[in-house]
Amino acid sequence: MPYRAPIDAYMRLLRDVVGYDAVAATDRFAEANHETVAAVLGEAGKLCEEVLAPLQRNGDLDPARLENGVVRTSKGFAEGFKALAEGGWIATSAPEAYGGMGLPLTVTTCVNDMMGAACLALQLNPLMSQGQIDALEHHASDELKDLYLPKLISGEWAGTMNLTEPQAGSDVGALSSKAVPNSDGTYAVTGQKIYISWGDNDFSENVCHLVLARLPDGVPGTKGISLFLVPKRIPDENGNPGVANDLHVVSLEHKMGLHGSPTCVMQYDGARGWLVGEPHDGMRAMFTMMNNARLGVGVQGVSVAEGALQHALGYAQERKQGRSPEGTIIGHADVRRMLATMKAETFAARAIALSLAVAIDMGNATGDAEWKARAALLTPITKAFGTETGIKVANLGVQVHGGMGYVEETGAAQYLRDVRVTAIYEGTNGIQAMDLVGRKMMDGGEAIFALLDEIESGAEAARGQMPELAEPVWQAAESLRETTEALVARDMGDRFGGAVPYLMGFARVLGAHYHLRAALAAPDSADARLAGFYIQRLLPEHAGLLAEARAEVGALANLKTEDLVA
């Protein structure tokens, strides 16, 4: 079954579920009404269906490779990237002053969702550039912005982010890369970085690396880290790529999936770099890119879920096995259960991600602190639940295919292999959960309770029309409120053992809230019937998750290391 961009699904979510009307009502995004958005998504959808989707298998079967120091990309990737760059799809939300479209991030989120479903390995490239554009726009000097933003926005140049080192993964403060001032105001950057997505390619004029390193007077830990822009080729006096910088690709990682995306070990040997932001303030600048990427990675999970769902549906409608009313396996109860779960989970994760994008757009357009708090709250949930959903749905897709799912020729396994890493990068899902019960509860739970008030008000309003769906949602929100109150009352360290089930339970309730909204908007529709399935069959999982989150820490803390290895 070839990929089909779900434009109608996006428009229903924007119109009826995630409150996009508020974004279009702002002065900043007044031109991005539903008609405009539908037209933009329609054009992006054509690109994804006709150009990017045919590259999905190429990336897996013809991996990126390193030949004599040069990265060679998968067959067709250069042409695919050229098509999306020329269409402006890297820069849908980039500033118009530098050549971007200036559209809401919500629109970009839908476009990225489609691109990831069509070909995730290639979509990673523009995602990295989008994050770098965001970081430079907010933190770089005017001189750097004037030189680099137009090139990144046009797709002539590509961007990366360089955080991880062999001894410094999640503990970024342990990095050892150094930056020494040069006499001309630039810096000599030295160090090795690993796991650098799209660290090089053979179709961009230049590759621009954002690199974390420590100045000579930088203190230990994250507070002593600075951020540098280090190009592969140093721009000449006309802004064109000039001489090669002192950096190179050491090797490409041999990965479980995403074979078309070159993940590089990068070596910097006194490479010339330019400071971004203030000295020793690199983490604040880099977090701008990382938070952009956390939404993007959560959406990658949704993307793969959509691709795996469409792939499984196509197979289930054709595969004849046993007796069923439809004559194919889609009529079997357990296959239907799996497909319904895949579809309902994908809807929930997509709605959460788009709600985050709406909150970011509203915060940017209005400056309202409550919208910014909502965006901060939804970021770890979007990243963790979106990626866990991608893994779950892709795994179910293999199961729907049965034995053929375990055979690489069907392509079902690729979705699972490609998506697995998303739960690890941009902050593991455990770190996202710790952020949710840690930093996001430093306000005493105020932002969480404000969201729960909305969920309960929505459920109360729905009781007259859909009591069988509204009541479970209201009760689940109350359970989440009680769990939140219990966690807020604990010491922060005592919350961490239950952080992951708390986040997943939270996402379960949020998903039910958005499903209920969709059902209310169209009571006799596929969306309403899907909402019934989610609320009656999947929402009950929240009870066990929140019970685990509330459990006393003793059962975990009392386990000794020798108990685990005995």
Side-chain angles (χ1 to χ4, degrees), residues 20 65 72 74 92 130 180 186 330 384 395 461 513:
Y20 178 78
R65 59 198 183 278
R72 303 296 184 190
S74 303
T92 45
Q130 288 168 357
V180 178
T186 63
I330 200 169
N395 190 48
H513 170 58

Side-chain angles (χ1 to χ4, degrees), residues 539-555:
L539 177 60
E541 292 177 2
H542 84 279
L545 290 165
L546 296 181
E548 182 182 357
R550 290 192 303 270
E552 293 299 322
V553 297

Side-chain angles (χ1 to χ4, degrees), residues 219-541:
V219 299
T222 56
K223 293 182 179 180
I225 295 175
S226 301
L227 182 63
F228 302 89
L229 182 55
V230 186
K232 175 183 176 181
R233 293 190 172 275
I234 299 172
D236 62 20
E237 64 275 8
N238 298 314
N240 298 315
V243 300
N245 210 343
D246 292 317
L247 60 88
H248 66 278
V249 178
V250 176
S251 62
L252 300 187
E253 305 290 358
H254 299 282
K255 299 175 296 184
M256 176 180 179
L258 288 177
H259 297 150
S261 169
T263 301
C264 303
V265 176
M266 300 296 303
Q267 182 67 40
Y268 298 87
D269 296 310
R272 193 175 177 190
W274 283 259
L275 182 68
V276 176
E278 296 298 320
H280 319 307
D281 197 28
M283 286 305 297
R284 186 171 70 90
M286 183 59 89
F287 260 109
T288 299
M289 186 172 185
M290 289 174 66
N291 281 329
N292 181 295
R294 283 171 177 169
L295 167 58
V297 171
V299 170
Q300 287 182 333
V302 180
S303 299
V304 174
E306 178 68 40
L309 169 62
Q310 292 193 21
H311 204 71
L313 278 168
Y315 182 81
Q317 291 176 85
E318 296 176 354
R319 173 63 170 163
K320 295 180 179 180
Q321 186 77 23
R323 295 181 179 180
S324 77
E326 282 80 0
T328 63
I329 64 170
I330 200 169
H332 295 312
D334 192 56
V335 173
R336 183 154 296 201
R337 175 194 63 81
M338 289 189 285
L339 292 170
T341 299
M342 294 168 75
K343 193 173 184 70
E345 294 281 48
T346 302
F347 177 97
R350 179 175 285 139
I352 292 171
L354 289 176
S355 292
L356 168 56
V358 165
I360 293 172
D361 284 329
M362 291 302 295
N364 290 337
T366 68
D368 189 288
E370 291 185 7
W371 279 115
K372 292 182 178 180
R374 175 65 57 85
L377 171 64
L378 290 176
T379 294
I381 301 173
T382 295
K383 193 278 176 178
F385 184 68
T387 57
E388 294 293 347
T389 295
I391 294 167
K392 176 180 180 178
V393 171
N395 190 48
L396 283 172
V398 172
Q399 193 70 16
V400 168
H401 281 76
M404 293 304 295
Y406 201 66
V407 174
E408 288 289 354
E409 282 76 6
T410 64
Q414 183 185 343
Y415 291 106
L416 182 56
R417 290 187 287 102
D418 283 355
V419 77
R420 185 60 186 86
V421 71
T422 61
I424 297 170
Y425 59 33
E426 299 310 328
T428 65
N429 288 354
I431 288 174
Q432 302 302 319
M434 291 168 67
D435 178 51
L436 178 62
V437 303
R439 188 176 291 109
K440 301 306 186 288
M441 285 186 178
M442 290 178 70
D443 62 353
E446 182 178 341
I448 297 173
F449 295 136
L451 180 53
L452 289 175
D453 288 343
E454 290 182 21
I455 295 172
E456 291 185 355
S457 294
E460 287 173 359
R463 275 177 169 151
Q465 190 174 355
M466 293 184 169
E468 73 286 358
L469 300 184
E471 183 61 24
V473 174
W474 191 91
Q475 292 291 348
E478 269 297 287
S479 180
L480 180 56
R481 184 185 297 274
E482 293 167 2
T483 302
T484 304
E485 290 170 346
L487 292 182
V488 168
R490 291 181 180 176
D491 292 336
M492 189 174 296
D494 290 343
R495 302 172 192 168
F496 290 158
V500 169
Y502 175 77
L503 184 149
M504 297 303 290
F506 202 138
R508 267 281 166 263
V509 178
L510 268 181
H513 170 58
Y514 295 127
H515 269 290
L516 179 59
R517 280 188 175 182
L520 287 170
D524 186 21
S525 69
D527 284 345
R529 290 184 287 276
L530 191 67
F533 174 85
Y534 183 97
I535 291 170
Q536 293 170 9
R537 303 286 297 257
L538 301 181
L539 177 60
E541 292 177 2

